[in-house]
Amino acid sequence: LSHVHTTSNTAELQYSGCNFKGTTKRGRFGDALAESDWIVGNVMQKLKDLNLEEDTLVLFTSDNGPWMIRGLSAGSHGLFTGRYAGYWNTGKGSNWEGGIRMPAFAYWKGKIAPMSRSAEIVSSMDVFPTLSALADIPLPTNRVYDGLDMSNVLLGKNGGKSD
């Protein structure tokens, strides 16, 4: 699912399906978020209905924070923007909170403790080596991988710390 991104063909530079247009107080961005929530909810319900929750790792990640030049069409920069210090871009593409530190959620019934949290630094580059390790698939050793196996962080092993 890759959904809540700005576009150039709508007045607010955001899109959602017809069933979600005008359904939130946050405008088209909120409508797109509501639709994403509905989609993920349906996927999760299907996993539950098919009794696949214990066999399925669900990862929900974000690629970056808001694209500040797109205004409210691209999300919120939150409370700590850095703009008061004179920085114009504290979202996507910056080294501020909204540029490099993004939320991610992982769910795997019976494997990941409910409501667990980690402050460990994890990158999207870690997804491939982590999933390979969880699937017990050895990676070829004749190349360099940018990512690391973060299974300990996901599963709360080794104190939830990366190596």
Side-chain angles (χ1 to χ4, degrees), residues 5-68:
H5 286 83
T6 60
T7 66
S8 59
N9 62 353
T10 59
E12 287 187 52
L13 303 175
Q14 193 52 253
Y15 62 91
S16 64
C18 294
N19 290 339
F20 290 88
K21 284 187 180 178
T23 60
T24 70
K25 293 179 182 178
R26 182 58 172 78
R28 290 188 181 186
F29 184 81
D31 298 346
L33 285 177
E35 185 171 32
S36 292
D37 180 63
W38 176 80
I39 291 167
V40 171
N42 279 300
V43 169
M44 298 305 294
Q45 186 60 53
K46 182 57 82 171
L47 290 173
K48 187 175 184 177
D49 293 347
L50 296 174
N51 199 28
L52 293 174
E53 288 180 293
E54 293 179 8
D55 297 320
T56 307
L57 169 62
V58 177
L59 294 175
F60 195 95
T61 65
S62 176
D63 60 349
N64 53 254
W67 195 3
M68 302 303 291

Side-chain angles (χ1 to χ4, degrees), residues 75-92:
S76 170
H77 50 72
L79 300 174
F80 305 109
T81 69
R83 287 188 157 194
Y84 302 107
Y87 299 102
W88 71 272
N89 180 17
T90 56
K92 177 180 181 175

Side-chain angles (χ1 to χ4, degrees), residues 90-108:
T90 56
K92 177 180 181 175
S94 78
N95 287 328
W96 286 80
E97 189 77 6
I100 58 171
R101 187 169 183 235
M102 301 282 50
F105 304 91
Y107 174 80
W108 195 356

Side-chain angles (χ1 to χ4, degrees), residues 120 148-150 152-153 158 161-163:
E120 287 291 295
L148 301 172
D149 174 10
M150 300 304 250
N152 288 340
V153 176
N158 191 34
K161 301 289 184 186
S162 60
D163 292 334

